[in-house]
Amino acid sequence: MDAIDREMLDILRADARTSVRDLATRVGISRASAYARLRRLIDDKVIRAFTIDVDHAAIGLGVSAYVHVRIKQNSWKSFRKKAWALEEAAHVALVAGDFDCVMLVRASDTDHLRDLVLERIQSLPEVLGTQTVLVFEEHHGLV
């Protein structure tokens, strides 16, 4: 990874649909070189996916929350599988600290969120307890 690779990643994070030609022009290298660098970043799994940024409120999922979950020992794999099976789960992570897992979930409204956390997540046999943190505003930027 050099400065050109990092600049390419910044450009693609801002707009994953940037063409190789535009990428090459913006970083000051040939199209062939840009393509080769991009292919290497994909092959080396530096770039894992090309994705889109969705306005969740526009699709009826205007309430977001982080659900901190405490689980039984040695139950991460089974919990992770069940957590990802929830259509509301946007991100599931094993973490260190007071809780074992953090989930980013998206719901249509607070009643939907309440049902998700209190009825569906807390009823999973691996779950010992939860704490929910409501998200007021989200911003996605370059790293």
Side-chain angles (χ1 to χ4, degrees):
M1 287 281 301
D2 62 12
I4 292 173
D5 289 338
R6 285 183 181 80
E7 189 175 354
M8 288 175 59
L9 290 174
D10 286 345
I11 292 166
L12 291 169
R13 273 194 290 260
D15 181 3
R17 293 175 47 171
T18 303
S19 69
V20 173
R21 178 181 305 211
D22 189 36
L23 200 55
T25 300
R26 290 174 65 182
V27 299
I29 59 176
S30 71
R31 192 169 78 66
S33 181
Y35 181 81
R37 284 172 175 268
L38 183 59
R39 174 65 21 218
R40 181 180 42 78
L41 290 169
I42 294 167
D43 290 345
D44 290 349
K45 298 190 181 3
V46 173
I47 296 175
R48 297 183 296 193
F50 292 89
T51 188
I52 58 173
D53 183 17
V54 174
D55 179 349
H56 295 97
I59 61 170
L61 298 173
V63 175
S64 298
Y66 288 100
V67 181
H68 302 176
V69 185
R70 193 173 297 109
I71 60 174
K72 294 177 184 174
Q73 285 191 355
N74 301 314
S75 66
W76 163 243
K77 288 180 182 176
S78 63
F79 172 78
R80 179 185 63 201
K81 184 176 180 181
K82 292 172 186 174
W84 272 121
L86 298 168
E87 65 184 73
E88 298 90 348
H91 183 85
V92 179
L94 178 66
V95 297
D98 292 336
F99 291 88
D100 304 301
C101 310
V102 175
M103 297 176 63
L104 172 61
V105 298
R106 303 196 190 280
S108 57
D109 55 34
T110 55
D111 288 337
H112 181 187
L113 179 63
R114 180 198 175 284
D115 177 68
L116 174 63
V117 174
L118 300 181
E119 303 297 330
R120 295 168 54 213
I121 294 173
Q122 288 185 359
S123 71
L124 295 173
E126 298 86 355
V127 174
L128 298 173
T130 63
Q131 179 183 15
T132 303
V133 179
L134 192 60
V135 175
F136 291 128
E137 213 174 285
E138 289 184 70
H139 300 276
H140 304 279
L142 299 177
V143 175

